[in-house]
Amino acid sequence: MKKAEASDSQIRAERGIDALVAAIGLAAVYAIFLSRFDLRLLFTDTILTGGDSASWLQPLEQLKNEYLPRFRLFGYSQSNFFGYLEGQHYFILPFLSAALLGYLMPLTVALKLVTFAGCAALPATMYSGISSITGSRKAGVVGAAGSLVFLFNESYTMFGGNLLSTFAGEFCYSWAIAILPLYIAAVWRDHSRDRYGVLSGILLGLIGLCHLFVFMPAFFMPFFFMFDRDNLLAPRAVKQQSTKNGPRQESSPGAQDSTLSPGAFPPGPPLLAQRILSTCITAFLVMAFWFLPMAATRTWAQSISMIWHFESFADFSRQTLMPVWLSALVILFLTALFSRGIARRKAIFVLYGIGSCAVMFVMARFLEIPDIRFVPPALILSVFALSICADSLTTLFHRRSLDKAGSVLAILAVIGSGFAVQAVSRNSPVWFAWNYTGYESKQGWKNLEAIARRYRGGIDSGRILWEKQNQRDNADFGSERGFENLYMLTGMPSAEGIHYGSSFMARAVTYLQSEYSPDPVDPEAWRLYSKVNPEAWPTRFTQANARYIITHSPEITALFAGRPDFSLDSKSGKFSVFAYRGFPSSYVEVRKNGDIGIVGDSPAGFKTDFYRFYRDYELVEKPFVPASFAKKTEGSLPGAKTWRDYDELHDAQAISAAWRDYAVSPSMGTIRNEHPGNFRISFDTDSPGRPHIIRMSYAPGWKSLGGERILPVSPGFMLLYPGSGHVELVYARSIPEIAGLVLSCLLPFFLLFALWISKKRLKRYVAVFRVLVALYILVIAVLVGLSTFGSSRMMADIQKARSLDLSRPDSRKIAAALVEPYTRKIVLEKNDNLLGFEAFRIKATILNAEGKRDEARAIVSTLTKRYSHCRALDSLPAP
């Protein structure tokens, strides 16, 4: 009896020492982390700046001041992109948290705290996740120390998760990364403790609400257990071995894996299928209020295929921290080969997670999403692998000396991370200070303040445009994106904004900026930009209902100063503001019946035709409705002429010079009492029954109170035929939005259902399990297969052809074979960018070099017609 009491006392003492070591270790980790920054800056009432961060306050203000008072989380915003769906195609949870904090403190301070919160939380969540999955607090400390190296790593600034990426604007991604360790541990515990996957589902849903690119590899984690040998070989449930006190399970942190009975893990296919489905369903219900309306309106958003270019293998190794994840892979492989039981399963589980990230990296090109976003989750899993390995080494034998070694290892990990942070964190503290001192500390703030005061107005004041700044101009406001906030600063809508992927008119807006900006930039690869084109400016300003433009370069300032259509309105430092003399002061233009055409959709969809129409400003007076929408309103477009495709419309209309009159007289009717807004638009017209184009981006949520159908019209605006002299539009909740809210409200009822059904073993789930396995394998196989073809293969072939010396016959032969599959019209339709252009250009160059000048001339003619004002035309050969 005394021996048992002594043993219990010894266990309690050891646990107390473990807790003390963990508390000291975690406190030391946070001391290292926080000591690198002047935390007082987080609480100063200044506007956050730096990279994309410089544009986050505007949508946050919109959420707090416009959407939440209407009990909405997203909606239509006139701020940028000629109007767009703000918040509906970005990640709502971090912004909602900041908006709610904004009721307790200045919104500027709330935004700073939220942008820093994800990085600040990661050491704690790594500690919690790793200590949970290993049962060792010391391993958790090692993981927390490892997270410091991840956070302060400066090999990349855009992938996400680390401090530099966060300061560059990826703070929503940091939130998702911070939740990921908790989710990984929850998935493991769901299966090791034979419990329903509700907690993992909630965490997965929260990750999705923070960032989908972390959600995507995380989604596949529960499916690992389908491939456990017992599940694959046994079509029946595996019964648990029981003791007198019930089934054996893993205990709390500090317990050894040996406490888990062989039969208690896994529980068998029937419950496994229930558990995986419960995780997925719970995550969907958590996200439904946002995910359903987002998915339903993807047509009116813009995909971004941002494939990262690595200069060499050494560059790839450095930027992705290859030594870290490669070491983790080696350790996991060795552990899987030479260990048994739970330790082996843990190794394969983490290895599977890294494999999921690798598969998503490969599939990114096919899915048209950034491949680099899948590197940080793999690095987080690598820290898991290294921590699990450290724990396995120190608990290989149950000896007190090794238990003490575990404490020593945890302390050494913390000390090592401190030295590593000191060595590598050259930029993180500087970027922190740069961002959180705000706009107000930058040299151009007084100029921006002066512009904001002078041009204070509203949506009805017209749009205010600006010449695009670049990285060389960061000193002005802390970021080249400063003027994206003109709506917040002046009340007047502007052009480009931070949420590029949220607007299907983003390409048109950035193309517009390229017409008066020498250095245009946007997140899409292979973009085609216009030449600086003063001839088009009056038409563009009229089309956009733009009143002012801010210039900064001597070249563009001189061009506007020399135009009779514009007058210098003010100067502030290096910035000049020009007023457009032909400002129409109305977002509505009236056309004659018959001006509106109907065009058959291109193989790449109507958005490609809309973008082409915008580039071809000569067609400005001949807008069209896509045939796919016109069919639904048979007979409601009086006098509309139907064109087979856009090329037919272009060939018939582009030769006319009538477009020059548009800037003088854009409307053929009179509009009065115009009141534009984010949720309501109203005006009076003297021309009911005729086509009215509202020069704001189309969105399916807009409804006419008069019952008139609203149609998308080129280049992406709204068209309606008023039935009376008064028109009133409202932006209403869509059916998917209502359905998503209802489904999310059902979450508590689903959790109660899960509590009831989790105690049952339903045999019919054996079939569900088999279907899950088959679908999983099929989806992965198809996506991986498709990722080796299409645009990814085209990109690789064209990049290789571009690198060849076309003055040499042997190189021309190789290049011709590479580009030949991509020199068809359908390729230009589906790749309306520099990628398709380059395939034709290379072929024309080859033909010209080989004396086939007529064929080369035909290709040049095709490209000149399609991209008549683009800068890329300067690279064409002269046959």
Side-chain angles (χ1 to χ4, degrees), residues 35 87 167 179 193 200 236 250 270 277 281 398 460 478 487 587 631 670 695 804 832 857 862:
S35 66
F167 297 152
I179 300 171
R193 289 191 167 190
S200 58
R236 301 179 304 278
E250 284 185 306
L277 287 173
I281 293 171
H398 297 294
D460 56 355
Y487 179 72
Y587 291 96
K631 288 177 182 177
T670 302
R695 291 176 285 212
L804 297 173
D832 192 25
R857 196 174 291 114
T862 297

Side-chain angles (χ1 to χ4, degrees), residues 399-441:
R399 297 177 182 173
R400 182 179 295 183
S401 59
L402 288 176
D403 193 52
K404 290 180 179 178
S407 299
V408 172
L409 180 62
I411 294 170
L412 289 176
V414 173
I415 294 173
S417 68
F419 281 110
V421 166
Q422 187 70 31
V424 302
S425 62
R426 300 181 185 89
N427 294 310
S428 297
V430 176
W431 285 30
F432 177 91
W434 179 266
N435 282 23
Y436 293 110
T437 50
Y439 278 72
E440 290 83 347
S441 67

Side-chain angles (χ1 to χ4, degrees), residues 807-818:
S807 65
R808 299 174 53 184
D810 56 336
S811 296
R812 290 200 298 270
K813 184 176 180 180
I814 296 171
L818 287 169

Side-chain angles (χ1 to χ4, degrees), residues 336-571:
L337 285 174
F338 297 109
S339 63
R340 296 181 180 179
I342 297 301
R344 185 169 185 267
R345 280 195 176 103
K346 286 178 182 177
I348 300 175
F349 175 63
V350 177
L351 184 62
Y352 166 86
I354 296 176
S356 298
C357 297
V359 170
M360 293 307 306
F361 185 91
V362 172
M363 294 191 303
R365 293 187 178 186
F366 168 72
L367 298 174
E368 294 190 341
I369 54 179
D371 56 357
I372 56 173
R373 297 288 192 247
F374 302 111
V375 172
L379 293 175
I380 291 294
L381 284 159
S382 297
V383 176
F384 263 77
L386 298 173
S387 300
I388 290 171
C389 174
D391 177 62
S392 298
L393 290 175
T394 57
T395 57
L396 186 61
F397 301 102
H398 297 294
R399 297 177 182 173
R400 182 179 295 183
S401 59
L402 288 176
D403 193 52
K404 290 180 179 178
S407 299
V408 172
L409 180 62
I411 294 170
L412 289 176
V414 173
I415 294 173
S417 68
F419 281 110
V421 166
Q422 187 70 31
V424 302
S425 62
R426 300 181 185 89
N427 294 310
S428 297
V430 176
W431 285 30
F432 177 91
W434 179 266
N435 282 23
Y436 293 110
T437 50
Y439 278 72
E440 290 83 347
S441 67
K442 306 303 180 286
Q443 66 183 29
W445 170 244
K446 290 184 178 179
N447 299 322
L448 188 58
E449 257 192 327
I451 291 171
R453 282 195 304 269
R454 180 177 177 89
Y455 297 99
R456 190 70 193 167
I459 297 172
D460 56 355
S461 302
R463 295 189 171 105
I464 180 170
L465 310 181
W466 78 94
E467 177 191 351
K468 182 73 173 180
Q469 293 190 289
N470 58 35
Q471 294 288 337
R472 296 191 301 273
D473 301 300
N474 278 351
D476 291 328
F477 313 122
S479 168
E480 76 274 15
R481 309 189 78 102
F483 285 126
E484 291 181 354
N485 300 303
L486 286 171
Y487 179 72
M488 176 184 74
L489 297 169
T490 69
M492 297 178 67
S494 191
E496 191 184 353
I498 184 61
H499 288 150
Y500 184 95
S502 299
S503 171
F504 77 106
M505 291 200 72
R507 285 180 173 174
V509 166
T510 53
Y511 186 85
L512 167 66
Q513 281 200 315
S514 73
E515 291 181 320
Y516 47 72
S517 302
D519 301 307
V521 178
D522 67 69
E524 285 193 80
W526 302 95
R527 276 304 307 275
L528 284 160
Y529 295 114
S530 171
K531 300 175 181 178
V532 172
N533 191 359
E535 180 184 49
W537 291 347
T539 298
R540 292 307 196 197
F541 274 67
T542 299
Q543 190 178 29
N545 193 38
R547 187 171 188 173
Y548 300 108
I549 183 167
I550 304 169
T551 67
H552 63 86
S553 70
E555 172 192 349
I556 299 301
T557 300
L559 286 174
F560 273 99
R563 296 283 307 184
D565 325 87
F566 296 87
S567 60
L568 180 64
D569 195 73
S570 69
K571 272 188 78 70

Side-chain angles (χ1 to χ4, degrees), residues 616-632:
D616 296 330
Y617 52 83
E618 295 90 346
L619 295 177
V620 66
E621 292 188 305
K622 296 297 178 182
F624 64 88
V625 174
S628 53
F629 289 91
K631 288 177 182 177
K632 301 174 184 177

Side-chain angles (χ1 to χ4, degrees), residues 19-64:
L20 181 62
V21 169
I24 293 173
L26 197 57
V29 165
Y30 270 101
I32 294 169
F33 175 72
L34 297 177
S35 66
R36 303 296 295 158
F37 308 113
D38 182 0
L39 299 179
R40 294 172 299 175
L41 297 178
L42 293 173
F43 301 95
T44 55
D45 186 9
T46 57
I47 301 173
L48 181 66
T49 189
D52 290 355
S53 300
S55 296
W56 287 134
L57 184 60
Q58 179 172 285
L60 179 60
E61 279 198 348
Q62 187 93 338
L63 172 61
K64 179 178 180 289

Side-chain angles (χ1 to χ4, degrees), residues 26-280:
L26 197 57
V29 165
Y30 270 101
I32 294 169
F33 175 72
L34 297 177
S35 66
R36 303 296 295 158
F37 308 113
D38 182 0
L39 299 179
R40 294 172 299 175
L41 297 178
L42 293 173
F43 301 95
T44 55
D45 186 9
T46 57
I47 301 173
L48 181 66
T49 189
D52 290 355
S53 300
S55 296
W56 287 134
L57 184 60
Q58 179 172 285
L60 179 60
E61 279 198 348
Q62 187 93 338
L63 172 61
K64 179 178 180 289
N65 300 328
E66 291 254 9
Y67 300 155
L68 288 181
R70 292 178 169 86
F71 300 100
R72 303 182 75 155
L73 298 176
F74 38 78
Y76 193 87
S77 173
Q78 301 282 6
S79 56
N80 304 100
F81 302 115
F82 304 149
Y84 75 108
L85 301 175
E86 187 167 83
Q88 199 157 317
H89 295 275
Y90 206 69
F91 308 108
I92 191 64
L93 183 59
F95 280 95
L96 177 60
S97 303
L100 295 177
L101 276 177
Y103 289 105
L104 305 176
M105 60 186 71
L107 201 58
T108 52
V109 175
L111 177 61
K112 290 181 180 182
L113 292 175
V114 167
T115 55
F116 194 61
C119 291
L122 184 62
T125 60
M126 285 292 282
Y127 167 80
S128 177
I130 291 175
S131 62
S132 175
I133 204 171
T134 61
S136 167
R137 293 188 179 93
K138 296 164 188 172
V141 172
V142 173
S147 72
L148 283 186
V149 181
F150 169 82
L151 286 170
F152 284 95
N153 154 53
E154 297 187 352
S155 67
Y156 61 81
T157 62
M158 287 186 63
F159 298 4
N162 66 341
L163 284 159
L164 293 189
S165 296
T166 301
F167 297 152
E170 294 289 337
F171 78 96
C172 291
Y173 193 101
S174 299
W175 273 54
I177 283 290
I179 300 171
L180 183 62
L182 302 178
Y183 168 74
I184 294 169
V187 170
W188 177 262
R189 302 292 274 189
D190 285 347
H191 291 267
S192 63
R193 289 191 167 190
D194 191 15
R195 71 186 183 192
Y196 219 56
V198 170
L199 176 59
S200 58
I202 292 173
L203 291 170
L204 180 60
L206 294 178
I207 290 174
L209 291 174
C210 292
H211 214 290
L212 283 179
F213 295 150
V214 181
F215 172 89
M216 293 168 78
F219 174 81
F220 291 103
M221 293 299 289
F223 291 87
F224 162 78
F225 298 96
M226 296 191 308
F227 300 99
D228 187 278
R229 183 179 60 183
D230 294 329
N231 286 329
L232 289 175
L233 298 181
R236 301 179 304 278
V238 179
K239 295 182 179 179
Q240 293 177 327
Q241 289 185 354
S242 300
T243 64
K244 292 180 181 180
N245 297 321
R248 294 179 179 177
Q249 297 177 335
E250 284 185 306
S251 59
S252 59
Q256 305 297 327
D257 288 334
S258 59
T259 60
L260 184 67
S261 66
F265 178 83
L271 186 58
L272 177 63
Q274 290 176 250
R275 186 154 47 235
I276 293 174
L277 287 173
S278 70
T279 298
C280 297

